[in-house]
Amino acid sequence: MVKIKEGYVMSAKEKAEYERVNALPRKKEGFAAYYFKPQTKYPPRIYVFMHSEIWCDRNRRPMGLFYAFPFLTRPMNREKIEYHHFNTRLCYHQYEDWDKLLFAERQEADQLDLENPGTGSSFLEKLNSFRTKYRLNANKVLKSLTDEELLIRSLFDNGHQMDAAQISRMLCEDHKGPKRLPVIIMLRQLYKNAGLPPEQRTVITEELLSRKVKVSIDRTRRNLVRRVYHGNKLFALEEIRESYPGYTEIQLLADLRIPKSKNRKIKKQPYTDLRRCQLQKLAAKIARGGLDAKEYHTICCRIVMLQQAHDCRVPIPLTVTLDKMTEIYSFSWKTRESVVKSFVNLANTGGMTHDILKARHQEMVSSNYSY
C-alpha cells in the first residue's frame, strides 16, 4: 500500500527496485517506540520511531537519543506495516505539542482496536498518562498581552507608516496621560526617524527598545539618588527607599560614583624646525651607540651648541660661497628644516649667483607664508 504520487512516472531503475522490494515478504509485526527529548537549545519534543525493533541505537544518534530508552512502545497495525515496507531509512515523527501527538495516535489506536479490540484504547490511555510527566512547551498557557504590549507591537508593525504629526499627537497624549516609558521611547525614536531620509533611519528592534528603557530607568534612579543625597546625606538612604524599596548601601555607592573621564592623549606635533630636527638626529646617533670617544665628544659639543642656540632663539646663519665670494644668509630660529634644505639646494644649482640668492632670501624672509 505504498503511496506513489499521482502522475509520477518511475524510471526503469526505480521500477526494478520497486518490484524487487515489493516481492519481498511483508513483516508480520512491527513496533513503534516513543522517546522524550528534553529541552536543549531546541524545545522539548517526543519522537515516534517506526519499526524500532530493526534499527540500531546509532541510528538515533543525530537526534541525541543514542543512550535513550523508550518510555512507551506499541504494535504497529497492518496498514502501517505495509506502508513502511518500502522504507530504506529510519522513519520517525516528532511532536512538540501533546494535542497533535494524541490526535495522530488516536487514529492509530482506532486501527489497532479493529485488529485487536481493546489494544488501541489501552495504549492511548497509557500515552495520555505521560502527559504530566513529559511536558512540552506548546502546552504552556500563553499570558494575555497588556494594552501597553499590544500598542508597542502595533507600533513595531505600523509605526513606519505614520507621519510626524500623528506620532507627535500620540506622544503628547501619553505624556499627559499614563506616561508609559517604553511607549514614549518608541514614539520618540519613530518621531526622530520621520524627519530623516530612509537610508539614515535607525532600525528599531526589541533589543534596542529594551536597552533604551533600561538606560532611562537607571538614569532616573541615579538622578534621584544624587539629588536626595546632596540635600540630606544623613537620612538619604531612608528617603530613597520610599521610592525604591530594598535599596541598599552598595547600590547607593554605585549610583553616587561618577566614572572618571578618559584622559585624552595630547597629540604632539612633530618637530619641523631645523635645530630640533638636528638635535633629534644627534640623539638617535648616541642611542644607537658604536661611537668612539672622539665622535662621542664631537656630537655632545654639537648638541650643546644647538640647544643653547635654540634656547636663546639665535637666528640660523647659512654661509654660502659662490665664485670665491662668501655671503651669510640669516633665517629665523624656527625656520623649518625643509625650507633651509631647499635654499641649500638652490645655492648648489649650477650658474647660481648671490644676486639670485639674495632675491630669493628676501622673498622668503619678507613673505607672510610660513617658510
Side-chain angles (χ1 to χ4, degrees):
M1 198 205 75
V2 64
K3 292 182 180 178
I4 299 175
K5 189 175 180 180
E6 185 179 355
Y8 179 76
V9 179
M10 291 189 289
S11 64
K13 185 177 180 180
E14 290 174 334
K15 191 172 183 180
E17 179 64 17
Y18 172 78
E19 291 175 352
R20 184 189 71 80
V21 177
N22 193 33
L24 296 175
R26 270 45 176 176
K27 299 179 182 68
K28 293 183 179 180
E29 61 179 9
F31 291 92
Y34 295 77
Y35 291 82
F36 175 71
K37 177 72 179 296
Q39 172 87 35
T40 54
K41 65 178 181 179
Y42 300 107
R45 60 192 62 189
I46 291 175
Y47 287 92
V48 183
F49 292 94
M50 301 300 165
H51 280 300
S52 59
E53 74 280 358
I54 65 173
W55 295 99
C56 302
D57 293 341
R58 66 172 178 268
N59 296 116
R60 299 191 304 272
R61 188 191 296 273
M63 286 73 77
L65 298 171
F66 182 77
Y67 298 104
F69 293 93
F71 66 86
L72 186 64
T73 58
R74 67 163 173 85
M76 296 170 61
N77 57 58
R78 295 192 192 94
E79 186 178 341
K80 282 294 180 184
I81 291 175
E82 173 66 23
Y83 180 80
H84 291 286
H85 174 72
F86 293 87
N87 286 356
T88 57
R89 294 183 180 181
L90 173 62
C91 177
Y92 67 91
H93 306 282
Q94 56 180 344
Y95 299 92
E96 296 180 9
D97 188 349
W98 267 103
D99 294 333
K100 293 181 179 179
L101 172 62
L102 291 173
F103 177 79
E105 295 305 316
R106 196 172 291 115
Q107 298 176 355
E108 301 295 328
D110 292 341
Q111 290 292 331
L112 285 174
D113 282 336
L114 292 176
E115 297 175 8
N116 190 1
T119 307
S121 56
S122 63
F123 156 74
L124 200 62
E125 187 177 347
K126 286 181 183 178
L127 179 62
N128 200 19
S129 66
F130 287 100
R131 187 164 187 166
T132 55
K133 185 176 181 181
Y134 301 116
R135 296 185 178 275
L136 302 180
N137 288 344
N139 300 108
K140 291 184 178 178
V141 179
L142 297 176
K143 65 173 184 178
S144 57
L145 297 176
T146 62
D147 294 340
E148 179 181 323
E149 291 171 336
L150 289 172
L151 178 58
I152 289 175
R153 286 197 175 187
S154 174
L155 291 173
F156 269 118
D157 296 336
N158 307 314
H160 61 281
Q161 299 175 357
M162 300 167 61
D163 57 14
Q166 291 175 311
I167 299 171
S168 177
R169 198 178 307 114
M170 291 180 65
L171 194 56
C172 292
E173 290 174 0
D174 213 276
H175 269 298
K176 293 177 183 177
K179 296 182 180 178
R180 296 165 292 189
L181 184 60
V183 177
I184 291 174
I185 292 175
M186 182 76 179
L187 290 170
R188 282 177 184 170
Q189 191 62 51
L190 288 172
Y191 188 80
K192 183 179 178 181
N193 283 350
L196 295 173
E199 63 274 5
Q200 295 181 10
R201 292 177 182 174
T202 303
V203 179
I204 307 173
T205 60
E206 293 184 6
E207 292 78 10
L208 176 66
L209 182 61
S210 301
R211 183 175 59 81
K212 284 181 174 287
V213 169
K214 184 179 181 304
V215 169
S216 180
I217 292 172
D218 291 345
R219 183 171 56 244
T220 303
R221 188 194 66 250
R222 280 196 303 269
N223 290 343
L224 172 70
V225 169
R226 291 172 183 175
R227 186 169 60 251
V228 171
Y229 186 81
H230 181 72
N232 186 0
K233 296 181 180 180
L234 186 59
F235 300 102
L237 193 59
E238 298 301 326
E239 192 173 343
I240 293 167
R241 282 174 179 166
E242 293 179 4
S243 302
Y244 297 96
Y247 194 80
T248 62
E249 294 182 10
I250 297 174
Q251 290 176 300
L252 176 65
L253 294 175
D255 286 339
L256 291 176
R257 183 175 58 85
I258 299 175
K260 292 182 179 179
S261 59
K262 293 182 180 178
N263 294 328
R264 291 186 177 179
K265 264 191 175 181
I266 300 174
K267 293 183 179 179
K268 293 184 178 180
Q269 295 292 337
Y271 298 133
T272 57
D273 59 279
L274 177 66
R275 286 202 177 107
R276 280 193 287 188
C277 287
Q278 289 178 338
L279 285 169
Q280 284 182 333
K281 292 175 184 177
L282 294 173
K285 275 187 179 181
I286 293 177
R288 284 196 296 268
L291 302 173
D292 56 25
K294 184 178 179 181
E295 290 175 338
Y296 182 80
H297 179 71
T298 304
I299 291 175
C300 288
C301 291
R302 179 69 177 160
I303 288 174
V304 171
M305 291 171 58
L306 288 171
Q307 188 63 53
Q308 188 176 4
H310 179 74
D311 293 341
C312 296
R313 299 186 177 183
V314 177
I316 300 171
L318 188 61
T319 304
V320 179
T321 302
L322 293 173
D323 298 333
K324 298 182 181 180
M325 292 180 60
T326 302
E327 294 283 349
I328 298 176
Y329 298 91
S330 180
F331 292 89
S332 172
W333 66 278
K334 55 183 179 181
T335 305
R336 297 199 306 273
E337 182 185 30
S338 58
V339 174
V340 178
K341 285 187 174 181
S342 67
F343 190 82
V344 172
N345 292 334
L346 182 64
N348 292 332
T349 306
M352 185 57 58
T353 62
H354 281 294
D355 294 335
I356 299 175
L357 283 180
K358 285 179 181 178
R360 179 60 177 163
H361 177 261
Q362 184 62 29
E363 180 185 347
M364 295 171 70
V365 172
S366 60
S367 174
N368 291 328
Y369 178 73
S370 176
Y371 281 100

